[in-house]
Amino acid sequence: MTRGGSQPSAKGPSDYFTGTVRIDAPFAGSEPARVSGATVTFEPGARTAWHTHPLGQTLIVTAGHGRVQRECGPVEEIRPGDIIWFSPGEKHWHGASLTTAMTHIAIAEKLNGSPVDWMEKVTDAQYQGGSENEEKEKR
């Protein structure tokens, strides 16, 4: 058992994130288990870089309002209770909305010791691709 609050919060590394991101309660199974994950909080406008997961990833949104995008797909809005699955090798990003923070639990399995392959950063234009949807939701 790992007690809540027993691990320090960590800042999301700027190589892999844009904006202010906090990573809490990271976990990893012991061999032969491959599971790993963490609770991640994105401040408004913050997001991951493009990335893939060799064995896929599950996100469980626990608070706020966020966005996800799969390569060549639209920016989609996500909210508490949403569960998002990214298939193995599927290029994607995720983060907060323009105006609201978002927290999710991220779960992935390691392949050859790594649960993620990081790529280029998401541009402001790519991130803002969903701003029309957000404006419609406010009305």
Side-chain angles (χ1 to χ4, degrees), residues 16-139:
Y16 309 132
F17 297 93
T18 298
T20 302
V21 177
R22 187 181 76 237
I23 301 169
D24 289 296
F27 62 88
S30 300
E31 295 269 342
R34 301 185 294 189
V35 68
S36 65
T39 299
V40 185
T41 300
F42 299 82
E43 291 301 315
R47 63 225 182 233
T48 67
W50 287 99
H51 60 285
T52 63
H53 299 275
L55 297 175
Q57 181 187 47
T58 299
L59 301 179
I60 303 167
V61 182
T62 60
H65 179 196
R67 296 175 164 189
V68 300
Q69 185 178 26
R70 301 162 201 275
E71 186 175 40
C72 299
V75 174
E76 298 178 82
E77 306 295 317
I78 57 175
R79 298 189 181 280
D82 290 351
I83 299 170
I84 302 97
W85 166 250
F86 297 106
S87 297
E90 183 174 35
K91 187 175 178 180
H92 67 280
W93 64 266
H94 36 97
S97 74
L98 286 166
T99 58
T100 307
M102 184 272 296
T103 301
H104 65 49
I105 298 169
I107 304 166
E109 290 184 277
K110 297 177 183 178
L111 182 63
N112 300 322
S114 178
V116 62
D117 294 309
W118 293 104
M119 299 169 181
E120 72 276 9
K121 288 202 172 186
V122 173
T123 66
D124 288 344
Q126 289 170 327
Y127 171 75
Q128 293 171 7
S131 59
E132 284 183 41
N133 292 336
E134 189 165 288
E135 290 303 315
K136 286 178 188 174
E137 286 183 16
K138 288 181 187 175
R139 292 182 207 148

